[in-house]
Amino acid sequence: MRPAAVLFDCDGVIVDSEPLTDRIIAANLTRHGLPMAPDEVKTLFRGGTMASVAETARTRGAGIGENWIDDIYAEIFQGLATGTPLIAGIEAAFDALDAAGVAYAVGSNGPHRKMAVTLGQHPHLHRRLAGRIFSREDVARPKPAPDLYLHAASCIGAEPARCVVIEDSATGARAARSAGMACLGYAPLGDGASLAEAGARPFRDMAELPALLGL
């Protein structure tokens, strides 16, 4: 049975922002006394919030100040503004959802300003998602709590049990599971094992998504 609604994570699912973001965070933490490679940032922090990044970095010895979150976001926004491509096949997936009359929305642990920077570079898509872009700023608790996906489902009038979440992180997959929603885990590289362990069904190519959703 096709879902009543599909809820998408943003970074790594709609926009290919994570490689650049990981490089910026790695370079920043290295400057602050915590040598780290982009792959380590990806492994440690994928799907989390910048507050959780700061907390972990401090416990590992990074000399970052109270304003670090504002400072790193300024670096990230500047970097992303130079060009953030869409994930291949995502627009065709939205086309298929529109054709089938299936509602969709975005739920991201990132702030609204970040999505304005990344999605805003793609005006047609940004307009398409208007009124359906939700951030951890809109709820009490970020992923892996269920709040964000439950909020998104409520705002578009969909029953949680009939929603499917599209995620690329175990953190997001756990949020979907806690919300009582099925989850498809986008894993273009690797086997998606961490997603599967968190309750998601991994897939490798966004072109597979319409069929996986029964469209």
Side-chain angles (χ1 to χ4, degrees):
M1 183 176 67
R2 69 178 55 180
V6 181
L7 308 177
F8 292 82
D9 180 40
C10 188
D11 295 299
V13 171
I14 299 177
V15 292
D16 193 14
S17 53
E18 291 181 335
L20 176 58
T21 300
D22 291 345
R23 290 196 298 271
I24 291 170
I25 294 172
N28 181 286
L29 292 178
T30 298
R31 292 198 308 271
H32 285 91
L34 180 62
M36 189 166 288
D39 283 350
E40 293 176 274
V41 171
K42 177 180 177 179
T43 300
L44 278 173
F45 303 129
R46 170 166 281 187
T49 63
M50 208 56 70
S52 67
V53 173
E55 181 179 358
T56 300
R58 289 190 180 102
T59 63
R60 288 171 172 252
I64 54 178
E66 293 182 1
N67 296 324
W68 182 80
I69 293 176
D70 290 338
D71 293 342
I72 192 63
Y73 266 131
E75 287 187 44
I76 289 170
F77 295 158
Q78 183 177 7
L80 293 174
T82 64
T84 306
L86 296 175
I87 293 292
I90 190 64
E91 289 189 286
F94 288 137
D95 289 341
L97 289 166
D98 284 336
V102 175
Y104 51 89
V106 179
S108 173
N109 260 359
H112 279 290
R113 186 180 169 195
K114 183 178 182 183
M115 289 184 280
V117 171
T118 57
L119 295 173
Q121 296 173 40
H122 308 279
H124 172 72
L125 180 59
H126 202 200
R127 288 192 297 270
R128 187 178 208 169
L129 295 168
R132 294 178 286 170
I133 300 173
F134 304 101
S135 162
R136 49 95 173 153
E137 295 172 323
D138 301 323
V139 294
R141 300 177 298 171
K143 307 172 196 176
D147 304 32
L148 183 53
Y149 283 133
L150 291 173
H151 175 69
S154 176
C155 288
I156 62 174
E159 296 179 19
R162 294 194 60 208
C163 292
V164 174
V165 170
I166 314 301
E167 268 288 351
D168 71 325
S169 74
T171 298
R174 289 194 294 270
R177 182 171 59 188
S178 296
M181 301 175 183
C183 183
L184 295 173
Y186 179 58
L189 303 173
D191 59 5
S194 64
L195 287 161
E197 289 173 5
R201 177 184 174 184
F203 69 104
R204 294 181 63 88
D205 192 325
M206 207 57 75
E208 302 171 44
L209 188 56
L212 291 171
L213 294 170
L215 304 183

